[in-house]
Amino acid sequence: QLAEALRSDNPVTDLPIAVEVDYFRLDKGKYFVPVSAKVPGSSLAFEKKGARQATELDFIAEVRDAKGRMAATVRDTIPVKVDQDTAGRVLQKSIQYDTGVTLTPGSYNLRFVARENGQGKTGTFETRFTVPDLSADKALRVSSMVISNQRAPVSEQIGGVKNAKKLVEENPLIDNGQKLVPNVTKVFRPDQNLLVYLEVYDPARPESLPADLQVVDVEATLALFKGNEKFFETKPARSGKPIPTRPGTVPVHLTVPLSQIPPGKYQCQLNVIDELGRKFAFPRTSLAVLGPLVP
């Protein structure tokens, strides 16, 4: 059934899926591309197994290059076993599955298929994406901007690759056993924090410093716009130390409490400045803040 859905020209929509694709540079010509898929819990069918509730999710992701050649493939079966209370909460929320592939710069097509094995519901998602060649970019070199509302221990994730050690080691969203979970739908509650992550590559450094002394000056602010009008902006945050295991990579972290943001739809813009190199980047994405929760 998964293979048929993968080959079909018509999308299957029994199981709704939302997917986000990002990119981060690991080395020259080598990029890690995280793929996050979100499935609504209301589409899952749990079966009682002893004192626990269980179901399974099957996933296939295929990435093809601009000429239609296979560039990467991922296949997984994720068992979901939870207690009765947790199963009830999952049905009201969602399951998120995270994987990733390593690619070279270029244009790609992703086809993602998921199957819920309780009732056999299947869904497909297809999108085109580009991994840019940042080495050819004269502007400030940056990764995708990821927005989130939670960090979670990798060991406690319900849906995720359990045996892909290399995937955990290469994924820039994982740090000290904690994973920044992309908010695929870009919808937030007012009691949450907006967490923003981006990487800056090869920022300028003072020429007078020794080659082994890594000191840079990257400044970032986050602004929210309604239409063309700026509604909110954070104070500047500075980053001055590259990641030790990834030379030339400077992480940018920002946290914004959403309790001070009225409900509505916004354009979220990250203003990133390499102060020494006098280069700029202004990545954008849209998000929505819901109204107060009703008991």
Side-chain angles (χ1 to χ4, degrees), residues 59-129:
F59 299 97
I60 297 181
E62 284 189 354
V63 179
R64 295 183 180 270
D65 64 16
K67 295 183 178 180
R69 297 171 300 194
M70 187 70 72
T73 182
V74 177
R75 294 172 181 246
D76 266 313
T77 296
I78 306 298
V80 182
K81 297 180 181 180
V82 294
D83 58 43
Q84 189 168 350
D85 291 340
T86 304
R89 292 196 297 271
V90 169
L91 290 173
Q92 296 175 18
K93 296 183 180 179
S94 60
I95 286 284
Q96 185 157 325
Y97 167 78
D98 297 290
T99 186
V101 296
T102 303
L103 299 171
T104 56
S107 297
Y108 297 93
N109 186 78
L110 167 71
R111 174 164 279 202
F112 189 95
V113 181
R115 181 180 188 272
E116 185 271 330
N117 289 337
Q119 296 178 343
K121 295 179 183 177
T122 303
T124 58
F125 184 98
E126 188 167 0
T127 186
R128 295 185 181 275
F129 67 95

Coordinates of all heavy atoms in Angstrom, one line a residue, residues 59-129:
F59 N 6.5 4.9 7.5 CA 6.9 6.0 6.7 C 7.9 5.6 5.6 O 8.7 4.8 5.8 CB 7.6 7.1 7.6 CG 6.8 7.6 8.8 CD1 6.9 7.0 10.0 CD2 5.9 8.6 8.6 CE1 6.2 7.5 11.1 CE2 5.2 9.1 9.6 CZ 5.3 8.6 10.9
I60 N 7.7 6.3 4.5 CA 8.7 6.2 3.4 C 8.9 7.6 2.8 O 7.9 8.3 2.6 CB 8.2 5.3 2.2 CG1 8.0 3.9 2.6 CG2 9.3 5.4 1.1 CD1 7.6 3.0 1.5
A61 N 10.1 8.0 2.7 CA 10.5 9.3 2.1 C 11.5 9.1 1.0 O 12.5 8.4 1.2 CB 11.1 10.3 3.2
E62 N 11.2 9.6 -0.2 CA 12.1 9.6 -1.3 C 12.5 11.0 -1.8 O 11.6 11.8 -1.9 CB 11.5 8.8 -2.5 CG 11.4 7.3 -2.3 CD 11.0 6.6 -3.5 OE1 10.6 7.3 -4.5 OE2 11.1 5.3 -3.5
V63 N 13.8 11.2 -2.0 CA 14.2 12.5 -2.4 C 14.9 12.2 -3.8 O 15.8 11.4 -3.9 CB 15.3 13.1 -1.5 CG1 15.8 14.4 -2.0 CG2 14.6 13.3 -0.1
R64 N 14.4 12.9 -4.8 CA 15.0 12.8 -6.2 C 15.5 14.2 -6.6 O 15.0 15.2 -6.2 CB 13.9 12.3 -7.2 CG 13.5 10.9 -6.9 CD 12.5 10.4 -7.9 NE 12.0 9.1 -7.6 CZ 12.6 8.0 -8.1 NH1 13.7 8.1 -8.9 NH2 12.2 6.8 -7.8
D65 N 16.6 14.1 -7.4 CA 17.2 15.4 -7.9 C 16.5 15.9 -9.1 O 15.4 15.4 -9.5 CB 18.7 15.2 -8.2 CG 18.9 14.2 -9.4 OD1 18.0 13.9 -10.1 OD2 20.1 13.8 -9.5
A66 N 17.0 17.0 -9.6 CA 16.2 17.7 -10.7 C 16.1 16.9 -11.9 O 15.2 17.1 -12.8 CB 17.0 19.0 -11.1
K67 N 16.9 15.8 -12.1 CA 16.8 14.9 -13.3 C 16.0 13.7 -12.9 O 15.9 12.7 -13.8 CB 18.2 14.5 -13.8 CG 19.0 15.7 -14.3 CD 20.4 15.3 -14.8 CE 21.1 16.5 -15.4 NZ 22.4 16.0 -16.0
G68 N 15.4 13.6 -11.8 CA 14.6 12.5 -11.4 C 15.3 11.3 -10.8 O 14.8 10.2 -10.5
R69 N 16.7 11.5 -10.6 CA 17.5 10.4 -10.0 C 17.3 10.3 -8.5 O 17.2 11.4 -7.9 CB 18.9 10.6 -10.4 CG 19.2 10.5 -11.9 CD 20.6 10.9 -12.2 NE 20.9 12.3 -11.8 CZ 22.0 13.0 -12.2 NH1 22.9 12.4 -13.0 NH2 22.2 14.2 -11.8
M70 N 17.3 9.1 -8.0 CA 17.2 9.0 -6.5 C 18.4 9.5 -5.8 O 19.5 9.2 -6.1 CB 17.0 7.5 -6.2 CG 16.7 7.2 -4.7 SD 15.0 7.8 -4.3 CE 14.0 6.5 -5.2
A71 N 18.1 10.5 -4.9 CA 19.2 11.1 -4.1 C 19.3 10.5 -2.7 O 20.3 10.4 -2.1 CB 19.1 12.6 -4.1
A72 N 18.1 10.1 -2.1 CA 18.1 9.6 -0.7 C 16.7 9.0 -0.5 O 15.7 9.3 -1.1 CB 18.3 10.7 0.3
T73 N 16.7 8.0 0.4 CA 15.5 7.3 0.7 C 15.5 6.9 2.2 O 16.6 6.6 2.7 CB 15.2 6.1 -0.2 OG1 13.9 5.5 0.2 CG2 16.3 5.0 0.0
V74 N 14.4 7.0 2.9 CA 14.2 6.7 4.3 C 13.0 5.8 4.4 O 11.9 6.2 3.9 CB 14.1 7.9 5.2 CG1 13.9 7.5 6.6 CG2 15.4 8.8 5.1
R75 N 13.1 4.7 5.1 CA 11.9 3.8 5.4 C 12.0 3.5 6.9 O 13.0 3.1 7.4 CB 12.0 2.6 4.6 CG 11.8 2.8 3.1 CD 12.0 1.5 2.3 NE 11.9 1.8 0.9 CZ 10.9 1.3 0.1 NH1 10.0 0.5 0.6 NH2 10.8 1.6 -1.2
D76 N 10.8 3.7 7.6 CA 10.7 3.4 9.0 C 9.4 2.9 9.4 O 8.4 3.2 8.8 CB 11.0 4.7 9.8 CG 12.4 4.9 10.2 OD1 13.0 3.9 10.7 OD2 13.0 6.0 10.0
T77 N 9.4 2.0 10.4 CA 8.2 1.7 11.1 C 8.4 2.1 12.6 O 9.3 1.6 13.2 CB 7.9 0.2 11.0 OG1 7.7 -0.2 9.7 CG2 6.7 -0.2 11.9
I78 N 7.5 2.9 13.0 CA 7.6 3.5 14.4 C 6.5 2.9 15.3 O 5.3 3.3 15.0 CB 7.5 5.0 14.4 CG1 8.6 5.6 13.4 CG2 7.7 5.6 15.8 CD1 10.0 5.2 13.8
P79 N 6.8 2.1 16.2 CA 5.7 1.6 17.2 C 5.4 2.7 18.2 O 6.3 3.4 18.7 CB 6.4 0.4 17.8 CG 7.8 0.6 17.7 CD 8.1 1.4 16.5
V80 N 4.2 3.0 18.4 CA 3.7 4.0 19.4 C 3.0 3.2 20.5 O 1.9 2.7 20.4 CB 2.8 5.0 18.8 CG1 2.4 6.1 19.8 CG2 3.5 5.7 17.6
K81 N 3.7 3.1 21.7 CA 3.1 2.4 22.8 C 3.1 3.4 24.0 O 4.1 3.9 24.5 CB 3.9 1.2 23.2 CG 4.0 0.1 22.1 CD 4.8 -1.1 22.5 CE 4.8 -2.1 21.4 NZ 5.7 -3.3 21.8
V82 N 1.9 3.7 24.5 CA 1.7 4.6 25.6 C 0.6 4.1 26.6 O -0.1 3.2 26.2 CB 1.3 6.0 25.0 CG1 2.4 6.6 24.2 CG2 0.0 5.9 24.2
D83 N 0.6 4.7 27.8 CA -0.4 4.3 28.7 C -1.7 5.0 28.3 O -1.8 5.8 27.4 CB -0.1 4.7 30.1 CG 0.2 6.2 30.3 OD1 -0.6 7.0 29.7 OD2 1.2 6.6 31.0
Q84 N -2.8 4.6 28.9 CA -4.2 5.1 28.5 C -4.3 6.6 28.6 O -4.9 7.2 27.7 CB -5.2 4.4 29.3 CG -6.7 4.6 28.8 CD -7.7 3.7 29.5 OE1 -7.3 2.8 30.2 NE2 -9.0 4.0 29.2
D85 N -3.8 7.2 29.6 CA -3.9 8.7 29.7 C -3.1 9.4 28.6 O -3.6 10.4 28.0 CB -3.4 9.1 31.1 CG -4.3 8.7 32.2 OD1 -5.5 8.3 32.0 OD2 -3.8 8.6 33.4
T86 N -1.9 8.9 28.3 CA -1.1 9.5 27.3 C -1.8 9.3 25.9 O -1.8 10.2 25.1 CB 0.3 8.9 27.3 OG1 0.9 9.1 28.5 CG2 1.2 9.6 26.2
A87 N -2.4 8.1 25.7 CA -3.1 7.9 24.4 C -4.2 8.9 24.2 O -4.4 9.4 23.1 CB -3.6 6.5 24.4
G88 N -4.9 9.2 25.3 CA -6.0 10.2 25.2 C -5.5 11.6 24.9 O -6.1 12.3 24.1
R89 N -4.3 12.0 25.4 CA -3.7 13.3 25.1 C -3.2 13.3 23.6 O -3.4 14.3 22.9 CB -2.6 13.6 26.0 CG -3.1 13.9 27.5 CD -2.0 14.5 28.3 NE -0.8 13.7 28.4 CZ -0.6 12.8 29.4 NH1 -1.6 12.7 30.3 NH2 0.5 12.1 29.5
V90 N -2.6 12.2 23.2 CA -2.2 12.1 21.8 C -3.3 12.3 20.8 O -3.2 13.0 19.8 CB -1.4 10.8 21.5 CG1 -1.1 10.6 20.0 CG2 -0.1 10.7 22.3
L91 N -4.5 11.7 21.1 CA -5.6 11.8 20.2 C -6.1 13.2 20.1 O -6.6 13.6 19.0 CB -6.8 10.9 20.7 CG -6.5 9.4 20.6 CD1 -7.7 8.6 21.3 CD2 -6.5 9.0 19.1
Q92 N -5.8 14.0 21.1 CA -6.2 15.4 21.1 C -5.2 16.3 20.5 O -5.4 17.5 20.1 CB -6.5 15.9 22.5 CG -7.7 15.2 23.1 CD -7.9 15.6 24.6 OE1 -7.4 16.6 25.0 NE2 -8.6 14.8 25.3
K93 N -3.9 15.8 20.3 CA -2.8 16.6 19.8 C -2.3 16.0 18.5 O -3.0 15.9 17.5 CB -1.8 16.7 20.9 CG -2.3 17.5 22.1 CD -1.2 17.7 23.1 CE -1.7 18.4 24.3 NZ -0.7 18.6 25.4
S94 N -1.0 15.6 18.5 CA -0.4 15.1 17.2 C 0.8 14.3 17.5 O 1.4 14.3 18.6 CB -0.1 16.3 16.3 OG 0.9 17.1 16.9
I95 N 1.2 13.5 16.5 CA 2.5 12.8 16.5 C 3.4 13.5 15.5 O 3.0 13.8 14.4 CB 2.3 11.3 16.1 CG1 1.6 10.5 17.3 CG2 3.6 10.6 15.8 CD1 2.5 10.2 18.4
Q96 N 4.7 13.7 15.9 CA 5.6 14.3 15.0 C 6.8 13.3 14.8 O 7.4 12.7 15.7 CB 6.2 15.6 15.5 CG 7.1 16.3 14.5 CD 7.2 17.8 14.8 OE1 6.2 18.4 15.1 NE2 8.4 18.3 14.5
Y97 N 7.1 13.0 13.5 CA 8.2 12.1 13.1 C 9.3 12.9 12.5 O 9.0 13.8 11.7 CB 7.6 11.1 12.1 CG 8.7 10.3 11.4 CD1 9.3 9.2 12.0 CD2 9.0 10.6 10.1 CE1 10.3 8.5 11.4 CE2 10.0 9.9 9.4 CZ 10.7 8.8 10.1 OH 11.6 8.1 9.4
D98 N 10.5 12.7 13.0 CA 11.7 13.4 12.5 C 12.7 12.5 11.9 O 13.0 11.5 12.5 CB 12.3 14.2 13.6 CG 11.3 15.3 14.2 OD1 11.0 16.2 13.5 OD2 10.9 15.1 15.3
T99 N 13.2 12.8 10.7 CA 14.3 12.1 10.1 C 15.2 13.1 9.4 O 15.0 14.3 9.6 CB 13.8 11.0 9.2 OG1 14.9 10.2 8.7 CG2 13.0 11.6 8.0
G100 N 16.1 12.6 8.6 CA 16.9 13.6 7.8 C 17.8 12.8 6.9 O 18.0 11.6 7.0
V101 N 18.3 13.6 5.9 CA 19.2 13.0 4.9 C 20.3 14.0 4.6 O 20.3 15.2 4.9 CB 18.4 12.7 3.5 CG1 17.4 11.7 3.7 CG2 17.8 14.0 3.0
T102 N 21.4 13.5 4.1 CA 22.6 14.3 3.7 C 22.6 14.5 2.2 O 22.6 13.5 1.5 CB 23.9 13.6 4.2 OG1 23.8 13.4 5.6 CG2 25.1 14.5 4.0
L103 N 22.7 15.7 1.8 CA 22.6 16.0 0.3 C 23.7 17.0 -0.1 O 24.3 17.8 0.8 CB 21.3 16.6 0.0 CG 20.0 15.7 0.2 CD1 18.8 16.5 0.0 CD2 20.1 14.5 -0.7
T104 N 24.0 17.1 -1.3 CA 24.8 18.2 -1.9 C 23.9 19.3 -2.4 O 22.7 19.1 -2.5 CB 25.7 17.6 -3.1 OG1 24.8 17.0 -4.1 CG2 26.6 16.5 -2.6
P105 N 24.4 20.5 -2.7 CA 23.6 21.6 -3.2 C 22.9 21.2 -4.5 O 23.4 20.5 -5.3 CB 24.6 22.7 -3.4 CG 25.7 22.4 -2.5 CD 25.8 20.9 -2.5
G106 N 21.6 21.7 -4.6 CA 20.9 21.4 -5.8 C 19.4 21.5 -5.5 O 18.9 21.8 -4.4
S107 N 18.6 21.2 -6.6 CA 17.1 21.3 -6.5 C 16.6 19.8 -6.4 O 17.1 18.9 -7.1 CB 16.5 21.9 -7.7 OG 16.9 23.3 -7.8
Y108 N 15.6 19.6 -5.5 CA 15.2 18.3 -5.2 C 13.6 18.3 -5.1 O 13.0 19.3 -4.9 CB 15.8 17.8 -3.9 CG 17.2 17.7 -3.9 CD1 18.1 18.7 -3.4 CD2 17.9 16.5 -4.3 CE1 19.4 18.6 -3.5 CE2 19.2 16.4 -4.3 CZ 20.0 17.4 -3.9 OH 21.4 17.3 -3.9
N109 N 13.1 17.0 -5.2 CA 11.7 16.8 -5.0 C 11.5 15.7 -3.9 O 12.2 14.7 -4.0 CB 11.0 16.3 -6.2 CG 9.5 16.2 -6.1 OD1 8.8 17.2 -6.1 ND2 9.0 15.0 -5.9
L110 N 10.8 16.0 -2.9 CA 10.5 15.1 -1.8 C 9.1 14.6 -1.9 O 8.1 15.3 -2.0 CB 10.6 15.8 -0.4 CG 10.1 15.0 0.8 CD1 11.0 13.8 1.1 CD2 10.0 15.9 2.0
R111 N 9.0 13.2 -1.9 CA 7.7 12.6 -1.8 C 7.7 11.8 -0.5 O 8.5 10.9 -0.3 CB 7.4 11.7 -3.0 CG 6.1 10.9 -2.8 CD 5.5 10.4 -4.1 NE 4.8 11.4 -4.9 CZ 3.9 11.1 -5.8 NH1 3.6 9.8 -6.0 NH2 3.3 12.0 -6.4
F112 N 6.7 12.1 0.4 CA 6.6 11.5 1.7 C 5.3 10.7 1.9 O 4.2 11.3 1.6 CB 6.7 12.6 2.8 CG 6.9 12.1 4.2 CD1 8.1 11.9 4.8 CD2 5.8 11.8 4.9 CE1 8.3 11.5 6.1 CE2 5.9 11.3 6.2 CZ 7.2 11.2 6.8
V113 N 5.3 9.5 2.3 CA 4.1 8.7 2.5 C 4.1 8.1 3.9 O 5.1 7.7 4.4 CB 4.1 7.5 1.5 CG1 2.8 6.7 1.6 CG2 4.2 8.0 0.0
A114 N 3.0 8.2 4.5 CA 2.8 7.7 5.9 C 1.5 6.8 5.9 O 0.5 7.1 5.2 CB 2.6 8.8 6.9
R115 N 1.6 5.8 6.7 CA 0.5 4.8 6.9 C 0.3 4.6 8.4 O 1.2 4.2 9.1 CB 0.7 3.5 6.2 CG -0.5 2.5 6.3 CD -0.2 1.3 5.5 NE -1.3 0.4 5.4 CZ -1.6 -0.5 6.3 NH1 -0.9 -0.7 7.4 NH2 -2.7 -1.3 6.1
E116 N -1.0 4.7 8.8 CA -1.4 4.4 10.2 C -1.9 3.0 10.2 O -2.9 2.7 9.5 CB -2.4 5.5 10.7 CG -2.8 5.3 12.1 CD -4.0 4.4 12.3 OE1 -4.8 4.3 11.4 OE2 -4.0 3.7 13.3
N117 N -1.3 2.1 10.9 CA -1.6 0.7 10.8 C -2.8 0.2 11.6 O -3.2 -0.9 11.4 CB -0.4 -0.2 11.2 CG 0.7 -0.1 10.1 OD1 0.5 0.3 9.0 ND2 2.0 -0.3 10.5
G118 N -3.4 1.1 12.4 CA -4.6 0.7 13.1 C -5.8 0.5 12.2 O -6.4 -0.5 12.3
Q119 N -6.0 1.5 11.3 CA -7.1 1.4 10.4 C -6.7 1.4 8.9 O -7.5 1.4 8.0 CB -8.1 2.6 10.6 CG -8.8 2.5 12.0 CD -9.7 3.7 12.2 OE1 -9.6 4.7 11.5 NE2 -10.6 3.6 13.2
G120 N -5.3 1.5 8.7 CA -4.8 1.4 7.4 C -4.9 2.7 6.6 O -4.8 2.8 5.4
K121 N -5.1 3.9 7.3 CA -5.2 5.2 6.7 C -3.8 5.5 6.1 O -2.8 5.4 6.8 CB -5.6 6.2 7.6 CG -7.1 6.1 8.1 CD -7.4 7.2 9.1 CE -8.8 7.0 9.7 NZ -9.1 8.1 10.7
T122 N -3.8 6.1 4.9 CA -2.5 6.5 4.2 C -2.6 7.9 3.7 O -3.7 8.4 3.3 CB -2.2 5.5 3.0 OG1 -2.2 4.2 3.5 CG2 -0.9 5.9 2.4
G123 N -1.5 8.6 3.8 CA -1.4 10.0 3.3 C -0.1 10.2 2.6 O 0.9 9.6 2.9
T124 N -0.1 11.1 1.6 CA 1.1 11.5 0.9 C 1.3 13.0 0.9 O 0.3 13.8 1.1 CB 1.1 11.0 -0.6 OG1 -0.1 11.7 -1.2 CG2 1.0 9.5 -0.7
F125 N 2.6 13.4 0.9 CA 2.9 14.8 0.9 C 4.1 15.0 -0.1 O 5.0 14.2 -0.1 CB 3.3 15.3 2.3 CG 3.6 16.8 2.3 CD1 2.7 17.6 2.8 CD2 4.8 17.3 2.0 CE1 2.9 19.0 2.9 CE2 5.1 18.6 2.0 CZ 4.1 19.5 2.5
E126 N 4.0 15.9 -1.0 CA 5.0 16.1 -2.0 C 5.4 17.6 -2.0 O 4.5 18.5 -2.0 CB 4.6 15.7 -3.4 CG 5.7 15.7 -4.4 CD 5.3 14.9 -5.7 OE1 4.2 14.3 -5.7 OE2 6.2 14.8 -6.6
T127 N 6.7 17.9 -2.1 CA 7.2 19.3 -2.2 C 8.5 19.4 -2.9 O 9.3 18.4 -2.8 CB 7.2 19.9 -0.8 OG1 7.5 21.3 -0.9 CG2 8.3 19.3 0.0
R128 N 8.8 20.5 -3.5 CA 10.1 20.8 -4.1 C 10.9 21.7 -3.1 O 10.3 22.5 -2.4 CB 10.0 21.5 -5.4 CG 9.3 20.6 -6.5 CD 9.4 21.3 -7.8 NE 8.7 20.5 -8.9 CZ 9.3 19.5 -9.5 NH1 10.6 19.3 -9.3 NH2 8.6 18.8 -10.4
F129 N 12.2 21.5 -3.0 CA 13.0 22.3 -2.2 C 14.4 22.4 -2.8 O 14.8 21.6 -3.6 CB 13.1 21.7 -0.7 CG 13.8 20.4 -0.6 CD1 15.2 20.4 -0.3 CD2 13.1 19.2 -0.8 CE1 15.8 19.2 -0.2 CE2 13.8 18.0 -0.7 CZ 15.2 18.0 -0.4

